[in-house]
Structure formats: structure tokens, C-alpha cells
């Protein structure tokens, strides 16, 4: 795990991208994807909303204990990655930094799969997330109504389960809240 910077010329190219695309730097290469389609965005929004009780202030009711960000720019080990949702336990991120690129690996993240990004999300990005210390990863595919839950074991992912349709799950690390997948 490390926070070395991506190559300056590649990061400059990332900053020059138009707003209708998503740019990521993976192992020194700039990867550009189209902005997510509406089904993708809606699934990410609804999942974030379902997990909202975990992002409550410490003095309010609910499970609390987390800080969530939609589409954060993560600067991890010289890579610039943009998951759909990321969450940090409050004890790891007691103060939200006011930065463009967050250098602290999330405790949990979710990528909503799209045809244009699925191969990269399932291969190179999953490998980098494990190497950089992300502990929990969810993959959501709204096209086939699938939620996959992973926990990091060393630098590898252990698949804890896959749920489809309108199943109700208590998914790690948010077991305290039942999630009905039908709304995603």
C-alpha cells in the first residue's frame, strides 16, 4: 500500500478530460469511460440512500459510524480510481478532508457495473483495491439485478455471496440494516 503520485503528464491529461466522461489512471495508463447511464446512476443513488443511516452524526439514532462519498476520486498507490460509492469508518476518517483526491483507502466501496467498465472493474480495479487495503467490495449489476459481496483476505477477495432479484440481505459490513435489492 502506498500513496505515490501518478505520472504528472498522465494526471494532466486526466484533468483536461471533458465533463461527459470519467477518467481513471490505472497502473500509469489513462482510462476514459462514458458517464454512467441512468440505470447505473439510479442504482448507485438508491444504494447510497439505503445505507444513509450508517452515515448519521454520532449523536443521532441509527447504526452510524460511517462517512460515505459518491464517486470520490481516490488516489491510491499511484492510481486514480473512481468507484460509484465509497465509505470510511469514522474511526479511520474522523474528519472529512476537503480535497479533490482522497488518499485514504476506503473501508468499503461499491462499483455499479456497466457494459463499458465491467471487465476493468472485475479485474484490474478489484486487484488494486485489495492491494491498497480496501476491506469490503460490493459489485452491483442493475441490468441483471445482482449484488455480489466480497471481503478482502490478504491481497485477494473472498466472495461472501451473490444475491439476485428482490432478495432481502444483511450484507457485510452493513449487517445491521436489511437491504431489499428490488429497489436497486
Amino acid at each position: 500500500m502506498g500513496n505515490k503520485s501518478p505520472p504528472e503528464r498522465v494526471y494532466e491529461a486526466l484533468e483536461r478530460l471533458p465533463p461527459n466522461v470519467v477518467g481513471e489512471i490505472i497502473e500509469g495508463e489513462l482510462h476514459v469511460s462514458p458517464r454512467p447511464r441512468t440505470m447505473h446512476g439510479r442504482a448507485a443513488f438508491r444504494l447510497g440512500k439505503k445505507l444513509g443511516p450508517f452515515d448519521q452524526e454520532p449523536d443521532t439514532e441509527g447504526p452510524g459510524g460511517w462517512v460515505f462519498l459518491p464517486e470520490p476520486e481516490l488516489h491510491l498507490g499511484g492510481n486514480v480510481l473512481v468507484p460509484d460509492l465509497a465509505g470510511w469508518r469514522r474511526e479511520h476518517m474522523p474528519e472529512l478532508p476537503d480535497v479533490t483526491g482522497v488518499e485514504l483507502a476506503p473501508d468499503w466501496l461499491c462499483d455499479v457495473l456497466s457494459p463499458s467498465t465491467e471487465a476493468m472493474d472485475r479485474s484490474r480495479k478489484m486487484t488494486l483495491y485489495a492491494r491498497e487495503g480496501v476491506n469490503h467490495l460490493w459489485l452491483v449489476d442493475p441490468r441483471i439485478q445482482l449484488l455480489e459481496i466480497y471481503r478482502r483476505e490478504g491481497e485477494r477477495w473472498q466472495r461472501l455471496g451473490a444475491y439476485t432479484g428482490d432478495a432481502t440481505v444483511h450484507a457485510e459490513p452493513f449487517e445491521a440494516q436489511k437491504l431489499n435489492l428490488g429497489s436497486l
Side-chain angles (χ1 to χ4, degrees):
M1 290 187 286
N3 285 329
K4 64 181 183 176
S5 298
E8 192 171 321
R9 64 177 171 64
V10 179
Y11 193 77
E12 288 171 359
L14 174 77
E15 289 183 316
R16 287 192 305 271
L17 291 174
N20 63 329
V21 298
V22 176
E24 297 179 294
I25 300 172
I26 299 173
E27 297 171 342
E29 292 178 38
L30 178 60
H31 294 269
V32 180
S33 307
R35 292 286 312 150
R37 296 175 64 114
T38 55
M39 185 185 298
H40 177 122
R42 182 111 168 120
F45 174 79
R46 284 194 162 181
L47 178 58
K49 199 170 158 186
K50 293 266 187 205
L51 296 175
F54 290 92
D55 193 0
Q56 299 292 330
E57 295 302 318
D59 59 345
T60 60
E61 297 226 2
W66 288 81
V67 174
F68 292 112
L69 291 175
E71 295 186 350
E73 184 175 298
L74 303 176
H75 290 210
L76 304 174
N79 299 286
V80 177
L81 305 166
V82 183
D84 292 289
L85 294 166
W88 293 260
R89 294 183 188 274
R90 283 193 192 272
E91 64 261 22
H92 298 151
M93 184 187 276
E95 302 262 335
L96 186 65
D98 187 17
V99 296
T100 299
V102 178
E103 295 183 357
L104 178 64
D107 294 291
W108 167 87
L109 63 79
C110 177
D111 269 321
V112 178
L113 302 175
S114 294
S116 62
T117 63
E118 182 174 7
M120 184 72 69
D121 290 341
R122 288 187 175 280
S123 59
R124 294 173 80 183
K125 286 178 69 175
M126 281 184 77
T127 300
L128 292 172
Y129 290 142
R131 185 178 76 204
E132 295 303 323
V134 175
N135 290 316
H136 300 276
L137 171 69
W138 291 8
L139 297 177
V140 173
D141 190 334
R143 297 165 297 167
I144 59 172
Q145 298 179 322
L146 174 68
L147 169 65
E148 295 174 76
I149 311 293
Y150 294 89
R151 179 191 320 126
R152 183 173 60 87
E153 302 286 339
E155 288 193 13
R156 299 203 182 285
W157 292 107
Q158 177 185 355
R159 188 176 188 206
L160 302 179
Y163 306 92
T164 60
D166 61 356
T168 298
V169 299
H170 292 268
E172 190 175 304
F174 306 110
E175 302 92 340
Q177 179 89 10
K178 70 178 179 181
L179 295 172
N180 182 309
L181 302 182
S183 66
L184 301 182

